[in-house]
Every structure is written in C-alpha cells, then in structure tokens.
Amino acid sequence: MTARNTVSPSPANPAVAPDAAAGSAPAPAGAREFRFERHHFDRIAQLLHQLAGIALASHKIEMVYARLARRLRDLRLPDFDAYCALLDSEEGASEIGFLVNALTTNLTSFYREAHHFQFLEQVVLPEIRAHNTGVPKPRLRIWSAGCSSGPEPYSIAMVLASTLGADLRRWDARILATDIDTHMVETAKRGVYALDGVSGIPPAIRARYTEPATLNGEPAVAMSGELKRLITVKPLNLLERWPMSGPFDAIFCRNVLIYFDRQGRTQVIESFSRMLGSGGYLFLGHSESLYGVSSSFHQAGPTIYQKA
C-alpha cells in the first residue's frame, strides 16, 4: 500500500498508517473539536473495507479522527453525523476518493529494501536477457503495485537503465506503477522530490538519472526524462477489476497485503499469479509472507517469490 495497495486503489495500494498515536487511548470526547463516536468509526471502517479491502483495526480510532477532522473543516460540516450522511448520499460519491486518500499512508523511499533491487539486477534481468538471446526487440514488463509517491518505480527504472545501459534502447521495456491514492499518483507522475527524500539513491546513479529542480520553493531533484519514459502511472484499486492483461516478468507489491483481510490477500495473490509469466517474480514487504496464502509460488529469497 510501497501500496502505497498501499488502499490500493498502496492500494498500493497505500495502506493505513501505523500511526504513532494509534496505540494511545482515545482522547476524551470533550477534548475533540467534533463529536466522534464508535458508530462513526465503524461506518467509516466498513466503507474502507468495502472499497479497498483494508481492515481498519479499532485502535486506529484516533488516527481516523485526526485525519478526517481536517476534512470536516474543509467541507464546513458541523459533525461526523453530517459526514457519514454525506458518504451515504448520492452527492457523497465524489467524497469517497477523499476518504480513501485521507486514510491511506504512503511510507516509501528510494531503494527501500535494497536486497530486492540487487536481486532484480543480479538475477531477474540476467534471466530475462538469457531467455531473449537473439530476439531483436525483447519484451520486459514490471509492475509496481502500490507505488505510493513513486520512489519504487523510479528505483526499478534506475536499475533497468543502469544495468542494461545503451542496450535498453532496443528493448520493449515498460514499468506500470499503480496506487489507490490519486494524490500519490499525481506526485509519481511529476517525479519531483525534496532533497531529503532522495538520500537512498546511490550518488553515481543520482548524478546520472536526476536533474536539479524546485519543490515548494525549495531545492529538489526531478527524475530524468529517460526514467519517465519507462513508467506509466495509473490509479488502481487492487480489489477491483484490473484493466491490464500482462504477462509481467516481475511484480512489486510491498507492505500492502498486511492491511488486507485473508480473503483480500488470497484474491490479490492469485490474481498476481495469473498476471505473472512463467517463472515470474513477486516481491513482498519485509513483514509479509505467502505462507498459508498461496501454493502458486516458491521462495527465491527473503520476501521474494517465484511463480511455480
């Protein structure tokens, strides 16, 4: 949910944030700007599960209040009764996107879980090259499912560009990046990041594949046109119909599945299996596993699975 599904529509599906305040006791009702009771939380949690498959734990009540209170102010609504009524009305259809965006988070960074990118460089790409020996225009497809604000697909693109070098020009290579959070999708499309957000990029790679830019008046870096040409960024909910047909050589879906219930996880994993080509790879987050979820894969490395 990077997933960022993280909700996927990361997710990624972006996923609900493990807020620092999540484990704290609820604030007294009198300390809140708006009255927020358990039935409000239950209705919002029900909608989030229905729309994105995310199981919103009851200890997230303060996080939900804090994020949605800002939305009530923007809408000039008097209380959560009015907000829930809006969500249930015909006029509230356009509010659903704001609800999902508000309750998903997009924790991500460039080259996060570096062993995945090393495996992509040292195992996946050499296998694909070997399978395409003599092919004039080899096909390569990678999906970042729950791409959050974009560091994951851009990291993948940097691996492809730096590993394949000038030979990449003859490849039919594409990276699909999807996320449920429409704000994150737009950020990923822009590909501009604050300086403190790109520290994970190796200096030589950063010098080659980024350009100076500004963000909110501050120095920043922009991803190069060479990288952007490899990537297509789209909004997508992993629990809804997928418009693409595949097959993919590799799928990154990291730190997204942990926020789905068992049924949602099983549905998404089996769909990934159908989307992957023979011997394709699935990359999961550090706290995720396919144990007891799917027999369609065997483990190829830490949180790396290959289609059986």
Side-chain angles (χ1 to χ4, degrees):
M1 266 190 116
T2 52
R4 133 201 95 335
N5 197 218
T6 83
V7 181
S8 223
S10 339
N13 289 353
V16 174
D19 237 66
S24 58
R32 294 178 177 146
E33 179 181 357
F34 302 101
R35 182 173 59 85
F36 186 60
E37 298 180 356
R38 183 55 188 251
H39 68 89
H40 297 127
F41 173 84
D42 288 344
R43 178 59 184 138
I44 289 164
Q46 179 188 34
L47 270 175
L48 193 63
H49 186 271
Q50 175 185 328
L51 295 167
I54 287 182
L56 192 59
S58 59
H59 66 259
K60 302 286 188 181
I61 189 167
E62 287 305 304
M63 181 272 285
V64 171
Y65 173 81
R67 295 188 180 188
L68 292 183
R70 294 193 292 267
R71 187 64 186 152
L72 265 67
R73 293 186 206 107
D74 291 342
L75 295 172
R76 298 185 178 181
L77 293 176
D79 52 36
F80 275 89
D81 286 336
Y83 187 68
C84 289
L86 172 64
L87 292 173
D88 290 332
S89 69
E90 290 185 9
E91 294 77 13
S94 61
E95 179 60 23
I96 296 300
F98 289 100
L99 173 71
V100 171
N101 289 349
L103 295 183
T104 58
T105 192
N106 298 277
L107 299 175
T108 186
S109 60
F110 287 89
Y111 287 84
R112 187 181 187 187
E113 300 187 49
H115 68 283
H116 285 166
F117 299 100
Q118 292 167 0
F119 191 90
L120 176 63
E121 176 184 351
Q122 298 170 8
V123 177
V124 179
L125 292 182
E127 284 185 2
I128 295 172
R129 294 181 91 164
H131 293 158
N132 285 279
T133 300
V135 177
K137 195 171 186 62
R139 182 183 184 278
L140 173 61
R141 294 292 187 273
I142 299 177
W143 179 11
S144 170
C147 69
S148 185
S149 56
E152 180 176 272
Y154 285 114
S155 297
I156 295 170
M158 290 177 198
V159 171
L160 265 58
S162 61
T163 303
L164 298 177
D167 193 42
L168 181 59
R169 297 192 190 99
R170 74 178 183 89
W171 283 68
D172 174 17
R174 299 297 304 169
I175 300 165
L176 173 65
T178 65
D179 202 279
I180 192 171
D181 188 329
T182 53
H183 297 160
M184 293 298 102
V185 166
E186 292 306 313
T187 300
K189 285 180 179 179
R190 287 193 296 271
V192 179
Y193 302 94
L195 292 180
D196 60 1
V198 298
S199 59
I201 304 176
I205 299 295
R206 176 176 162 183
R208 173 67 181 83
Y209 297 109
T210 70
E211 304 163 353
T214 58
L215 182 64
N216 299 323
E218 298 293 331
V221 297
M223 299 296 107
S224 70
E226 182 178 356
L227 299 183
K228 288 183 176 180
R229 283 190 290 273
L230 289 171
I231 301 170
T232 300
V233 189
K234 297 286 187 180
L236 180 69
N237 185 330
L238 287 179
L239 293 182
E240 295 180 350
R241 188 182 67 83
W242 299 353
M244 61 282 199
S245 58
F248 290 93
D249 300 286
I251 296 174
F252 285 68
C253 184
R254 306 186 302 168
N255 305 309
V256 173
L257 298 178
I258 54 173
Y259 298 100
F260 292 164
D261 61 17
R262 184 178 182 85
Q263 180 181 353
R265 286 195 299 272
T266 301
Q267 174 185 330
V268 171
I269 290 298
E270 291 309 312
S271 296
F272 282 156
S273 177
R274 291 191 293 271
M275 279 287 179
L276 282 167
S278 177
Y281 290 92
L282 175 62
F283 296 80
L284 300 182
H286 66 276
S287 61
E288 296 168 320
S289 170
L290 295 187
Y291 180 76
V293 177
S294 174
S295 59
S296 300
F297 297 85
H298 67 262
Q299 193 156 8
T303 58
I304 303 170
Y305 296 86
Q306 187 174 27
K307 184 175 177 179

